[in-house]
Amino acid sequence: MTSIVLIGASGNIGSRILDEALARKHPVTALTRDPRKLAPRPGMTVRAASTTDAPALTQILKGHDVAVVSVKWNENDVRRVIDTIRQSGVKRALFVVGAGSLLRSDGRRHYDHMAERGVQPPTSLPALQAYEEIRKIDDYDWTAISPPASIGPGKRTGKFRLALDTLIEDAKGESRISREDFAVAIVDEIEKPRHLRKRFTAGY
């Protein structure tokens, strides 16, 4: 089993990663600003933590096999997070980033496509910038994962496709995945690394 420390364990995606990892019997240290959001569960240790307190977070991260970071990048400093993992000695990290940096079929970034439509969620540009910083890491193994254009609550099917830098669309031109299946893709990557020092995406 792989010891996982999960930053953002009570979030929309983080909570699904937590569910999937625990279902597969991985021990998880679940980090959240408010531990009251997480009820006790077998295999889970809950710790109050924030990326703004680097010294405390560094100590919590120490000793884990992999750190998973699922946070809002408009509220968290990616450089601080990267350095905190570095200082902790954790040798592998998986970062959830946005869909904006994925390339559409016409070669444009999805971020640029959305900007032309006047749709720019507050997390979009910070997530794109976070990915650019993550790509510079050269002293520990990292993996970034981007969702497709649409990700929401749904069913865990375990059936989806993977790609590297290209937005995944189905036959109808829809780009989507459930949060539950996105978590499956993440824990699959933890168990059997296929994208070390790369970014990938998962979608239907």
Side-chain angles (χ1 to χ4, degrees), residues 33 51-52 69-81 96-98 120-131:
R33 293 175 181 174
T51 61
T52 60
V69 186
S70 179
V71 298
K72 295 178 180 179
W73 291 113
N74 60 324
E75 298 177 0
N76 294 270
D77 184 330
V78 65
R79 293 185 184 88
R80 181 188 293 133
V81 173
V96 177
V97 296
Q120 289 181 292
T123 57
S124 292
L125 182 58
L128 192 157
Q129 294 169 334
Y131 173 54

Side-chain angles (χ1 to χ4, degrees), residues 34-186:
D34 184 1
R36 294 172 297 181
K37 293 182 178 180
L38 297 175
R41 297 167 67 179
M44 177 183 71
T45 301
V46 181
R47 299 287 299 272
S50 170
T51 61
T52 60
D53 188 347
L57 184 57
T58 298
Q59 293 302 313
I60 295 172
L61 296 179
K62 285 183 177 180
H64 291 87
D65 296 320
V66 59
V68 179
V69 186
S70 179
V71 298
K72 295 178 180 179
W73 291 113
N74 60 324
E75 298 177 0
N76 294 270
D77 184 330
V78 65
R79 293 185 184 88
R80 181 188 293 133
V81 173
I82 290 170
D83 191 57
T84 299
I85 295 170
R86 177 178 294 118
Q87 295 301 321
S88 75
V90 173
K91 296 301 182 183
R92 187 173 168 220
L94 194 150
F95 301 87
V96 177
V97 296
S101 54
L102 292 171
L103 299 177
R104 297 178 63 88
S105 57
D106 62 5
R108 291 184 302 161
R109 294 182 306 180
H110 182 59
Y111 175 84
D112 299 318
H113 168 77
M114 297 300 287
E116 286 183 10
R117 295 177 55 192
V119 181
Q120 289 181 292
T123 57
S124 292
L125 182 58
L128 192 157
Q129 294 169 334
Y131 173 54
E132 292 302 318
E133 291 299 322
I134 291 164
R135 292 176 61 188
K136 299 175 185 177
I137 300 171
D138 61 5
D139 56 346
Y140 60 84
D141 285 333
W142 60 269
T143 299
I145 179 169
S146 291
S150 176
I151 180 169
K155 295 182 179 180
R156 182 195 187 281
T157 70
K159 298 178 181 179
F160 46 80
R161 294 176 290 152
L162 302 181
L164 292 179
D165 297 316
T166 305
L167 190 74
I168 296 175
E169 297 178 301
D170 63 17
K172 297 179 180 179
E174 296 179 349
S175 177
R176 61 186 182 85
I177 196 169
S178 70
R179 292 169 183 163
E180 289 74 9
D181 275 339
F182 194 62
V184 173
I186 289 171

